[in-house]
């Protein structure tokens, strides 16, 4: 995306966790599953797939995990102070971090190119024409 300068800084709400995103994400995804609606307290949750080596974190992260409907283990890292989710990861994909990109200082990279779990999408939300979508998890 033009005009975006890397690294981009990011932080939780209280500032205890900070990070630097060193390069563009591989992909930005909007997930409409009920669990992501709970997480985001909105219609969907946004995730930027980032290579592990493309991000540097500072500060103590807290860990939580659950079994996803897809059968994958969904691990989450969040700030122990304010509770802000910073990223998720699947232990079976150790090279990829699922960054919660709304924590970035420059959020212009948040342009989803894929919508998943649209079978659970809120009826009032319209996915833009031409954007890839799947009724469940495609992988």
């Amino acid at each position: 995306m033009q005009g975006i300068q890397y690294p981009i800084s990011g932080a939780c709400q209280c500032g205890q966790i900070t990070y630097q995103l060193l390069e563009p994400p591989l992909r930005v995804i909007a997930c409409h599953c009920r669990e992501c609606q709970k997480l985001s307290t909105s219609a969907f949750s946004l995730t930027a797939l980032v290579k592990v080596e493309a991000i540097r974190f500072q500060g103590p992260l807290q860990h939580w995990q659950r079994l996803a409907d897809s059968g994958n283990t969904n691990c989450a890292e969040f700030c122990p102070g304010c509770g802000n989710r910073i990223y998720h990861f699947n232990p079976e994909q150790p090279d990829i971090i699922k960054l919660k990109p709304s924590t970035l200082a420059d959020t212009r990279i948040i342009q989803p190119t894929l919508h998943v779990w649209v079978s659970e999408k809120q009826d009032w939300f319209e996915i833009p024409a031409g954007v890839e979508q799947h009724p469940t998890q495609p992988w």
Side-chain angles (χ1 to χ4, degrees):
M1 178 174 296
Q2 291 182 330
I4 295 181
Q5 299 292 317
Y6 290 87
I8 301 174
S9 297
C12 65
Q13 287 181 295
C14 72
Q16 187 175 345
I17 306 299
T18 60
Y19 65 91
Q20 295 285 310
L21 178 61
L22 307 176
E23 62 186 50
L26 302 169
R27 190 160 206 188
V28 178
I29 301 168
C31 181
H32 297 266
C33 78
R34 295 285 186 237
E35 290 299 318
C36 280
Q37 290 177 33
K38 289 178 188 178
L39 164 67
S40 67
T41 69
S42 187
F44 53 86
S45 177
L46 295 167
T47 298
L49 299 182
V50 176
K51 292 186 275 184
V52 169
E53 64 268 11
I55 197 160
R56 301 285 179 262
F57 295 100
Q58 295 84 39
L61 290 163
Q62 186 79 29
H63 180 83
W64 179 78
Q65 69 184 48
R66 70 174 177 85
L67 188 60
D69 289 341
S70 64
N72 294 328
T73 299
N74 190 359
C75 299
E77 299 293 326
F78 61 95
C79 174
C82 64
N84 216 179
R85 293 271 180 108
I86 305 299
Y87 70 90
H88 292 181
F89 68 95
N90 178 343
E92 307 227 352
Q93 296 176 314
D95 297 335
I96 300 293
I97 285 177
K98 301 173 184 175
L99 180 68
K100 305 317 285 176
S102 294
T103 58
L104 287 164
D106 184 345
T107 57
R108 290 179 292 163
I109 69 162
I110 304 176
Q111 295 184 22
T113 58
L114 173 64
H115 287 254
V116 298
W117 283 99
V118 297
S119 61
E120 297 184 1
K121 162 180 105 48
Q122 292 293 317
D123 290 339
W124 56 264
F125 181 77
E126 295 292 326
I127 296 173
V131 177
E132 182 182 351
Q133 55 184 291
H134 295 273
T136 60
Q137 191 78 13
W139 51 86

